[in-house]
Amino acid sequence: MIVEFKMPKMGESISEATLINWLKNAGDSVEAEETLLEVATDKVDSEVPSPVTGVITEIRFGKNDVVKVGEVLALIETDGKTPGKKITIGKTEHGTGRNAQGEKVVVNVEQPATKLEHANYQRPKSNPEAFLSPLIISIAQKENLSLEEVQRIPGSGADGRIQKSDVFNYLKNRKYPLKSIAATVTPSAVEGLKSTYPKPVINFTEGKDRIVEMDRMRKMIADHMVYSKQTSPHVTSYIEVDVTNLVEWRNKNKDVFAEKHNQKLTFTPIFVDAVAKAIVDFPMINVSVDGKNIIVHKDINIGMATALPNGNLIVPVVRNANEKALPELAATVNHLAESSRNNKLKPDEVQGSTFTISNVGTFGSLMGTPIINQPEVAILALGIIKKRPEVITTERGDEIAIRSMMYLSLSFDHRVVDGFLGGSFLRKVGDYLEQFDINTAI
């Protein structure tokens, strides 16, 4: 039996992945569930196992190729006796094959198609609302594509987004070039995507300066950050909070907590808990924007911006944070942090966040102005905790005391979050941290 080894789906919103490395060559034997290749998405790198035991007869894609979900990566010849194994990465299972008689055999089960993926679905001939990234605009200008022509290109990305490969495929079959996009795009159509300011000259000294090419993840981070700034009008608010009680409780109980729950007690799960509680109080901060509609998320999934050893950034997700007690939050946070450092995160662990926090204090920063993690509408930065002399009010009057202080800064999308909501939510997070009960049981 010849089995088609297909690109498995990596998660709900991922339509393609990049091949990093084949661990086997054509002609090699492979065991069922043995890792066959490594793939990467904009979220995480993953190992993909073989669905069957057999011999690889053909490999159709090479290193660094970008392959769509469901495309055949390789063919594996089996004896027809060994049952196929399901490949599950995220929530979807893939793979079909044909036996020696040419009859189609289902090796793995694929999820039902989504509405946009339905066989009867047809993309409109022209889509004025199509998002055109700076890269797509640049290619269109070089190839003299008009705005309307670009909007007619069927998109293969998430939600029908037009990708580079879609434009190049269109150009191969293009017969009648129209006017240049540079002559047809109005400022309102791609506002902020094109600047008339000349690109500054970069001085490069041969023998002293050096060129370092961005790796794949850094390129994706760069694109995501630029997209976020072009999409959401960012506003940032700041407050200062007194976390003396919280710090003293944590310092007093961290050793006992570790003995009782076998988990390290950091400040992060306490921060996640305070944010989740504040979201319950202000649910309209836990939303996404879809055109003229606001999607209000019921689940409270907190993303934690986490630095990787190579200097890049990833955002693992604490799902349903409002439903977890502190010991469970600590266990989840520690697992995600450890998996991030060891490049062991699963695709589902970096998807589905509805609100993100960034602990800039880890690096000694007093405060930050973080960029919103799309498609969310707000992100909270937590500054370093520093001891300072502060004026406090006691029963004896105003006094100067040494207190543990920190800054919180909230960047929010002013399309749907106004100053009242942003400020009220930020203050509520601060209140939960300042009013931390020093008698909290562990």
Side-chain angles (χ1 to χ4, degrees):
M1 184 176 72
I2 300 298
V3 174
E4 294 178 340
F5 175 59
K6 294 184 177 183
M7 173 65 77
K9 194 169 184 179
M10 301 294 159
E12 295 294 338
S13 61
I14 297 174
S15 61
E16 62 185 19
T18 302
L19 303 190
I20 300 177
N21 184 39
W22 282 97
L23 302 181
K24 297 285 185 176
N25 299 312
D28 290 349
S29 297
V30 63
E31 297 291 329
E33 298 186 348
E34 180 182 3
T35 300
L36 192 52
L37 79 160
E38 298 170 332
V39 299
T41 68
D42 59 340
K43 300 289 187 182
V44 70
D45 297 347
S46 301
E47 295 179 345
V48 183
S50 171
V52 293
T53 297
V55 177
I56 301 172
T57 59
E58 180 183 349
I59 290 179
R60 297 186 176 180
F61 294 92
K63 183 178 180 180
N64 296 325
D65 285 346
V66 179
V67 183
K68 295 179 182 178
V69 168
E71 286 199 43
V72 178
L73 298 169
L75 300 180
I76 304 174
E77 183 176 1
T78 74
D79 57 12
K81 297 178 181 179
T82 305
K85 301 293 184 179
K86 293 182 179 180
I87 302 175
T88 304
I89 298 184
K91 296 181 180 178
T92 307
E93 303 155 353
H94 288 264
T96 60
R98 296 184 181 275
N99 61 19
Q101 287 73 40
E103 298 170 333
K104 190 171 183 181
V105 178
V106 177
V107 177
N108 299 300
V109 181
E110 188 169 359
Q111 282 183 336
T114 62
K115 186 175 181 180
L116 289 181
E117 295 169 338
H118 195 278
N120 294 328
Y121 176 81
Q122 293 182 348
R123 183 180 173 87
K125 291 183 178 180
S126 180
N127 180 13
E129 301 298 326
F131 171 75
L132 303 180
S133 70
L135 176 60
I136 299 301
I137 293 293
S138 175
I139 295 173
Q141 290 171 338
K142 291 178 182 178
E143 301 295 339
N144 293 320
L145 291 173
S146 69
L147 176 61
E148 292 182 359
E149 197 171 4
V150 175
Q151 291 173 340
R152 286 200 300 269
I153 298 175
S156 62
D159 299 325
R161 180 175 297 178
I162 300 171
Q163 302 191 21
K164 179 175 68 173
S165 58
D166 300 326
V167 179
F168 287 145
N169 288 335
Y170 172 79
L171 289 170
K172 290 179 182 178
N173 303 310
R174 182 173 177 243
K175 296 180 180 180
Y176 306 104
L178 301 178
K179 291 185 293 182
S180 167
I181 192 171
T184 61
V185 175
T186 62
S188 60
V190 288
E191 185 176 0
L193 293 183
K194 180 174 174 58
S195 172
T196 58
Y197 187 82
K199 181 179 178 180
V201 176
I202 300 176
N203 296 320
F204 181 82
T205 304
E206 195 71 37
K208 292 185 177 180
D209 301 334
R210 62 192 180 97
I211 298 175
V212 178
E213 184 178 358
M214 291 185 186
D215 60 24
R216 178 192 56 82
M217 182 174 285
R218 175 50 56 186
K219 291 176 184 176
M220 292 179 176
I221 292 172
D223 289 343
H224 188 60
M225 294 297 98
V226 171
Y227 171 75
S228 182
K229 292 293 286 187
Q230 291 170 345
T231 300
S232 300
H234 283 56
V235 177
T236 305
S237 293
Y238 307 84
I239 62 170
E240 187 177 24
V241 296
D242 185 338
V243 291
T244 303
N245 289 347
L246 188 159
V247 171
E248 291 180 352
W249 177 87
R250 184 254 178 183
N251 290 340
K252 179 181 178 181
N253 292 281
K254 61 182 180 180
D255 292 337
V256 178
F257 188 93
E259 292 178 4
K260 182 175 180 179
H261 300 289
N262 196 30
Q263 292 292 335
K264 182 179 179 182
L265 179 61
T266 66
F267 287 110
T268 301
I270 302 174
F271 295 153
V272 170
D273 182 58
V275 170
K277 289 177 179 176
I279 291 176
V280 172
D281 295 331
F282 295 94
M284 291 306 293
I285 207 79
N286 197 51
V287 306
S288 296
V289 179
D290 181 19
K292 299 300 181 181
N293 296 321
I294 300 174
I295 310 300
V296 183
H297 301 294
K298 181 179 180 180
D299 292 339
I300 298 177
N301 301 331
I302 309 297
M304 310 184 309
T306 305
L308 297 174
N310 62 5
N312 287 323
L313 184 71
I314 200 164
V315 185
V317 182
V318 180
R319 296 185 177 278
N320 300 308
N322 58 309
E323 299 175 3
K324 291 178 168 64
L326 189 58
E328 188 177 0
L329 281 176
T332 303
V333 167
N334 291 340
H335 163 72
L336 294 174
E338 182 68 19
S339 297
S340 299
R341 287 190 292 268
N342 296 322
N343 196 29
K344 295 295 184 180
L345 285 170
K346 299 177 181 177
D348 277 352
E349 291 178 327
V350 290
Q351 295 183 56
S353 62
T354 59
F355 186 93
T356 296
I357 63 172
S358 179
N359 191 354
V360 299
T362 302
F363 313 108
S365 297
L366 282 175
M367 63 183 73
T369 55
I371 297 176
I372 297 169
N373 182 25
Q374 298 293 328
E376 300 161 21
V377 298
I379 181 172
L380 178 72
L382 304 120
I384 189 174
I385 299 175
K386 290 181 67 89
K387 288 185 177 181
R388 292 202 304 269
E390 292 289 324
V391 177
I392 62 173
T393 300
T394 69
E395 54 188 24
R396 295 183 298 274
D398 290 343
E399 295 181 353
I400 296 177
I402 303 299
R403 309 294 291 180
S404 294
M405 308 294 294
M406 70 180 299
Y407 289 102
L408 305 181
S409 50
L410 181 75
S411 292
F412 54 88
D413 186 340
H414 214 334
R415 293 178 300 170
V416 293
V417 181
D418 292 323
F420 174 78
L421 174 58
S424 299
F425 170 78
L426 182 60
R427 183 62 262 171
K428 179 60 71 171
V429 175
D431 289 344
Y432 279 124
L433 295 177
E434 285 190 333
Q435 297 168 9
F436 187 88
D437 185 1
I438 59 174
N439 297 314
T440 298
I442 60 171

